[in-house]
Amino acid sequence: MNVGFVSLGCSKNLVVTEEVIGLFKKHNFNIVNNEKNADIIVINTCGFIESAKQEAIDTILEMAEYKKGRCKYIIAIGCMVERYEEELKRALPEVDLFIRIKDYNKLWTKISELLKLEITNECLQWADRVITTGNTMAYLKIAEGCSNHCTYCAIPKIQGPYISREFNEIIEEAKSLMKKGIKELIIIAQDTTKYGIDLYEKARLPELLQELCKIDGIEWIRFLYAYPESITDELIQVVKQNDKICKYFDIPIQHISDDVLKRMNRKSNGKSIKELITKIREQIPEVILRTTLIVGFPGETEENFNELYKFVEQAKFDKLGVFTYSKEDGTPAEKMENQVHPSTKKSRYNKIMKLQKEISGQCLKNKIGKTYKTLIEEKSFDRKYLIGRTYMDVPDEDGVVFIENTQNKDLIGKFVNVEIIDVQEYDLIGKFEK
């Protein structure tokens, strides 16, 4: 039987999808990229915010259309199933099997029962994982869940408390990825900076990064979702001193107003965030800083927003994403007074994004004339350009570099030096260094 997969939401979800693909492949199913050729379609859902939930429902309904053709079974797994299994069963009879996150230890048993196979109880294994992000880059998940309990976020409710993976197991997986030809590891968790606290009673991300740097064949390492209150001097020095670690900090600060941060139950404040940004830039002058913000949080006043706007204007983040606050079931913020009107949220979103577009454009123009080590990943559709990334770019989040394809040799998966000669909105244009 042919199996097709749709993975929605974050990179952590994608890792689960890759492990599920590996389980099907282990049992001799054919994996197909086109859903119309699939007998079984597996959808890994996201339930993080309202728009993600709507996307999941729309995707399930879209995939259900293939049941008019070849498809016999639709299987839905993941965050939204964990949150709303009973409601989904009533609303979406097109789905043959729902599997909650808490039931992943019985995932293959449930699938075996559905497909009337010999019943075997197998867990998802990183060793079986099939990488879907190309031949050069892979995500390396170091923990599950979250224990931060921000008042707007349902992740702890969906995925449970923060649980770190064993240190040595992570290293073993990294080595296995290297043997598959992976050159870049992207370290992920809901909060990478908390790694190890639950398991070893101390944060071990700096130590983990240093150990990963020892793996020959891995050339780039980066970590995402570093909460500001847990970025230590030790971590900054590890990034500064190791050439393999990309000089890139992804720091979700969410806001700068102390009033808003307190209502969000964030552990940092405006002063500590500003001091951290200054410290990182002083220690690592070539660093790229990315953040995410939430506008329209309950009780956010015009004064709070203006403080945020002014901060964005001054901080000049290289990369910045903005969410409008989404009221999530079962979170403390859902019941807070002074909910902000949707039109006000949208207006504030547009103002920040307009400002950031100008800042981002200037940041990119500052790269013109400089030369960067670039990982070539693909060719443009017309094959006139090679497309790559520098240390400044996270896949599917940031921009890329377009290089005129003047060399008659296969450079996919190779690192080359590229001189930046122009910019194009969020992307760079380069040429091979002479």
Side-chain angles (χ1 to χ4, degrees):
M1 297 178 82
N2 292 345
V3 192
F5 292 83
V6 181
S7 192
L8 302 174
C10 66
S11 50
K12 296 181 288 295
N13 238 24
L14 180 61
V15 172
V16 173
T17 301
E18 291 175 338
E19 290 177 349
V20 178
I21 293 172
L23 199 48
F24 272 96
K25 194 171 182 181
K26 184 178 176 181
H27 287 271
N28 300 315
F29 286 79
N30 301 313
I31 311 303
V32 295
N33 293 324
N34 192 331
E35 291 86 5
K36 75 176 182 181
N37 297 326
D39 302 293
I40 306 162
I41 299 175
V42 181
I43 305 157
N44 193 353
T45 63
C46 175
F48 181 47
I49 55 177
E50 191 59 41
S51 58
K53 288 182 276 187
Q54 189 58 54
E55 181 188 21
I57 292 169
D58 291 344
T59 301
I60 289 170
L61 293 173
E62 180 187 345
M63 293 301 111
E65 287 294 305
Y66 290 112
K67 282 188 142 185
K68 296 175 182 177
R70 176 167 180 161
C71 180
K72 299 177 182 65
Y73 303 102
I74 299 285
I75 300 171
I77 68 174
C79 290
M80 195 174 75
V81 177
E82 181 64 41
R83 289 188 82 180
Y84 303 111
E85 182 185 23
E86 294 308 316
E87 294 95 317
L88 291 171
K89 281 181 177 178
R90 291 192 293 271
L92 296 168
E94 299 91 342
V95 177
D96 300 281
L97 178 63
F98 290 97
I99 304 177
R100 300 171 63 189
I101 294 171
K102 290 183 177 66
D103 291 333
Y104 279 176
N105 61 333
K106 296 180 281 188
L107 181 140
W108 194 251
T109 300
K110 289 176 176 288
I111 291 172
S112 301
E113 290 171 349
L114 174 69
L115 303 180
K116 298 178 174 57
L117 306 173
E118 180 184 349
I119 305 297
T120 57
N121 184 21
E122 297 177 58
C123 296
L124 296 178
Q125 300 283 346
W126 62 262
D128 298 328
R129 181 180 164 200
V130 174
I131 304 303
T132 62
T133 48
N135 298 321
T136 56
M137 182 279 291
Y139 293 104
L140 183 60
K141 185 161 59 171
I142 62 173
E144 302 284 357
C146 185
S147 299
N148 288 332
H149 297 288
C150 302
T151 56
Y152 53 81
C153 183
I155 295 296
K157 189 180 179 68
I158 300 169
Q159 297 189 348
Y162 195 92
I163 302 175
S164 300
R165 290 179 65 191
E166 291 280 353
F167 190 98
N168 291 337
E169 182 184 276
I170 296 170
I171 301 301
E172 285 305 306
E173 181 173 10
K175 288 178 179 177
S176 77
L177 291 170
M178 177 274 292
K179 290 174 184 174
K180 293 176 182 177
I182 296 300
K183 293 180 170 61
E184 178 183 9
L185 294 177
I186 302 183
I187 312 302
I188 55 170
Q190 193 62 32
D191 177 355
T192 52
T193 42
K194 299 290 193 304
Y195 171 71
I197 289 177
D198 59 308
L199 202 56
Y200 304 108
E201 297 184 351
K202 65 174 182 175
R204 293 188 71 183
L205 180 61
E207 185 183 346
L208 180 67
L209 291 170
Q210 288 178 305
E211 198 64 27
L212 291 170
C213 285
K214 296 176 184 176
I215 302 174
D216 292 333
I218 299 296
E219 295 197 42
W220 276 354
I221 299 166
R222 68 175 87 229
F223 56 97
L224 304 182
Y225 322 124
Y227 278 51
E229 69 275 7
S230 302
I231 296 176
T232 60
D233 291 344
E234 181 190 11
L235 180 58
I236 294 170
Q237 288 305 308
V238 166
V239 174
K240 178 181 179 179
Q241 293 167 7
N242 288 275
D243 291 339
K244 286 188 178 185
I245 302 176
C246 295
K247 310 312 181 218
Y248 185 112
F249 277 83
D250 174 30
I251 310 171
I253 64 170
Q254 310 307 4
H255 217 281
I256 201 65
S257 162
D258 287 347
D259 292 342
V260 178
L261 289 168
K262 189 173 182 180
R263 286 198 300 278
M264 288 178 168
N265 194 34
R266 301 287 290 186
K267 308 302 186 290
S268 50
N269 56 47
K271 182 173 182 286
S272 66
I273 290 169
K274 291 172 184 176
E275 288 174 349
L276 175 65
I277 291 167
T278 300
K279 181 191 293 184
I280 292 173
R281 282 179 166 156
E282 286 177 350
Q283 292 291 320
I284 312 173
E286 71 275 30
V287 74
I288 297 298
L289 294 182
R290 175 183 175 83
T291 195
T292 49
L293 306 172
I294 296 174
V295 295
F297 188 77
E300 183 191 56
T301 63
E302 196 67 29
E303 183 182 357
N304 296 149
F305 174 74
N306 289 338
E307 184 182 354
L308 180 63
Y309 185 92
K310 186 177 179 182
F311 167 71
V312 171
E313 197 171 37
Q314 293 173 341
K316 292 183 168 45
F317 286 96
D318 301 273
K319 324 277 184 177
L320 183 145
V322 184
F323 293 93
T324 56
Y325 167 72
S326 172
K327 190 189 289 189
E328 294 305 310
D329 296 340
T331 60
E334 178 195 18
K335 297 179 175 62
M336 286 183 180
E337 297 179 353
N338 301 317
Q339 297 283 332
V340 177
H341 193 277
S343 63
T344 303
K345 287 193 279 190
K346 187 65 176 174
S347 171
R348 291 174 181 176
Y349 169 88
N350 289 335
K351 284 179 182 177
I352 295 281
M353 289 307 294
K354 183 182 178 183
L355 171 61
Q356 181 59 29
K357 188 173 182 180
E358 295 170 6
I359 293 169
S360 176
Q362 190 55 55
C363 287
L364 290 179
K365 286 176 185 175
N366 292 340
K367 314 299 180 202
I368 294 175
K370 297 180 180 179
T371 298
Y372 295 99
K373 179 181 176 180
T374 304
L375 176 58
I376 305 299
E377 295 186 302
E378 59 181 327
K379 293 179 181 178
S380 61
F381 184 73
D382 59 11
R383 307 183 77 78
K384 290 182 180 179
Y385 291 90
L386 295 171
I387 302 173
R389 289 182 297 109
T390 69
Y391 79 92
M392 302 179 286
D393 304 302
V394 170
D396 302 322
E397 294 283 354
D398 302 327
V400 295
V401 186
F402 291 95
I403 310 113
E404 192 171 355
N405 191 7
T406 56
Q407 299 196 11
N408 295 318
K409 53 185 177 181
D410 183 14
L411 293 174
I412 306 297
K414 304 283 197 311
F415 286 91
V416 296
N417 289 325
V418 174
E419 181 186 348
I420 305 305
I421 58 174
D422 202 358
V423 301
Q424 187 181 58
E425 199 157 27
Y426 294 106
D427 301 316
L428 298 169
I429 312 296
K431 65 178 182 180
F432 292 108
E433 183 186 46
K434 291 183 180 178

